[in-house]
Structure formats: C-alpha cells, structure tokens
Amino acid sequence: LFVFFTAIYSLILVGNVLIVVTIIYDQHLHTPMYFFLSNLSFIDVCHSSVVMPKMLADFLAETKTISFGECIAQMFFLHLFACTEIFLLTIMAYDRYAAICNPLHYGTIMSRRVCLQLAVAMWLGGLLHSIALTLLTLNVPYCGPNNIDNFFCDVPLVIKLACANTYVFEILIVSNSGVISVVCFVVLVVSYVVILVSLRNRFSEGRRKALSTCAAHLTVVTLFLGHCIFIYLRPAKSLAADKVVSIFFTAVTPLLNPVIYTLRNEDMLNALNK
C-alpha cells in the first residue's frame, strides 16, 4: 500500500504542478478557462498534501497516532481546500456556460477583473466555511474516546468523540457542508443542461468540442461532490464504504483531474509539447 499510494501521490504532484507551470509560461493559455484550471491544479496539490503524507507515514508505523493540534489543523486545511474546490467547479461551469451560450459577450462577462474577483470570492468562501466548522469542532468537550475510524481527521469523525450530545452540531454540519455540496451540485447540473440544450443548433464540430469539455467537467464534479454529499448529508456515523469513498476524494480525483483536462484538450497538449 505504501508503494502504491506513494506512486499515486507522486503522479498527483507531477501532473498538477506541470499544468500550473505550463499555463503560467504559455501566453496562449492566459484565458479565464485556464486561469481557473491552474487554480484547480494548485488546490488539488494542496488538498492531497493535507492527507496523503500522513497516510503514507502511517503505513510504516506500528502505532498510528496524531496529536489533537495536528488533527484540528488537518481538518481546517482539508475543508479550506475542499470547499474552495467546490466553489471553483461551480465557477468553471459558469465560465463554460458564458463561453458556449454567450460567445460574443464572453470577453466582457469573464474579464480579467471578474476572474480575479471570482477567485478571491471562492477562497474567502472556503476560508469562512473552514473557520466555522473548525470552531464548531473546538466548541465541544473531549474527555475519553480517541480512536478515529479513518485515515485522516474530519469533522463528523471527530465530533463523534465528544463527551456530549452532538445532535445539534451534526445538524449544523449538514446545514453547512451538506447544503453547500447539494446546492453547488444542482447549480452545476442545471448549467450543463442549459449548455446541452443550447448546443442543439450548433455545427457538429463545435458541438463535439463543447460536449467533450462538458463531459470532462461533469466527470470531475460527480467524483468530487459525490463524496461530499455522501459524507456530509447524513448523521455522523462510520460506514464500511467511508474509507473507499474517502480514497476517491483525497487521491483518485486529484490524480484524474490532470488526465481529464489535458488528454482531452488539444491546446493543453500542444502547450505541454512546447
């Protein structure tokens, strides 16, 4: 397992860093779509780095422990990057909607200033979400149980260890993380349905390219938001499937993003070749 996941983590780092560097250095890729794609790759590197190094170290350890401070820090950064990515995927769907449904006004709708404002807004949203959940977790007493049934710290798992009735806290978690995930997922699906409807009157070549882009985005969205809805839209209890779903969330999706967005994208392939 150590060798297998070390290889996956290495591929995540190499693939996503390569995308960021390519977009920075190729002037032809200085467009809104690739600006947000570079943000996605950066977030994927950070997101997987919050969990995977500790997981790899635990594969080689007799006793798998984490201090309370490290656990809180892991939760904070996990939710910071995960929530920011959810907002980013929603923004990327809006960007594709503007490009495909309003091509003549696209330059005005997604100007450089608007892109920067959206980027700041998504990071601030992720930060506020993470601070709220971290403070919520620190606000309950812990006095006994200290075994987490997973390979990283997450709010529902830590809340379960509290020496108090956590029903209200679980409701707050669902109303925060769960609602954000569901609302963004619904917005994403609706935006892609609108895009698909608008493509009916397009030429076959343009339609094929647009469908390819939308299919790539929907694959990433389903993999990422599927985990969030599964984990955060139910009471805080461990299920057998949690660890498998968490692997997709922390390792598989960050690995697939570079593959989906580069191998299906002619501009990125040309830039990588250069």
Side-chain angles (χ1 to χ4, degrees), residues 14-67:
V14 171
N16 284 291
V17 169
L18 191 59
I19 287 176
V20 174
V21 171
T22 303
I23 290 171
I24 290 172
Y25 281 98
D26 193 313
Q27 295 294 324
H28 296 100
L29 300 182
H30 289 185
T31 63
M33 175 178 164
Y34 292 107
F35 169 72
F36 292 122
L37 179 56
S38 64
N39 272 269
L40 180 64
S41 292
F42 174 74
I43 291 171
D44 279 340
V45 168
C46 297
H47 184 217
S48 58
S49 296
V50 171
V51 173
M52 293 196 72
K54 175 61 178 169
M55 181 178 74
L56 293 173
D58 283 343
F59 282 139
L60 305 179
E62 285 273 338
T63 306
K64 298 163 177 54
T65 61
I66 186 169
S67 70

Side-chain angles (χ1 to χ4, degrees), residues 40 47 81-91 93 129 176-192 217-233 245 248-250 253-254 257:
L40 180 64
H47 184 217
F81 296 124
C83 187
T84 303
E85 182 160 343
I86 290 172
F87 291 143
L88 175 57
L89 290 171
T90 309
I91 291 169
H129 162 81
N176 190 323
S177 298
V179 170
I180 287 174
S181 302
V182 171
V183 169
C184 287
F185 185 73
V186 170
V187 170
L188 284 158
V189 170
V190 169
S191 67
Y192 285 122
H217 286 210
L218 275 174
T219 304
V220 173
V221 165
T222 304
L223 284 172
F224 193 81
L225 282 175
H227 164 272
C228 297
I229 293 169
F230 178 77
I231 295 293
Y232 300 113
L233 211 60
V245 174
F248 273 89
F249 180 59
T250 56
T253 305
N257 280 352

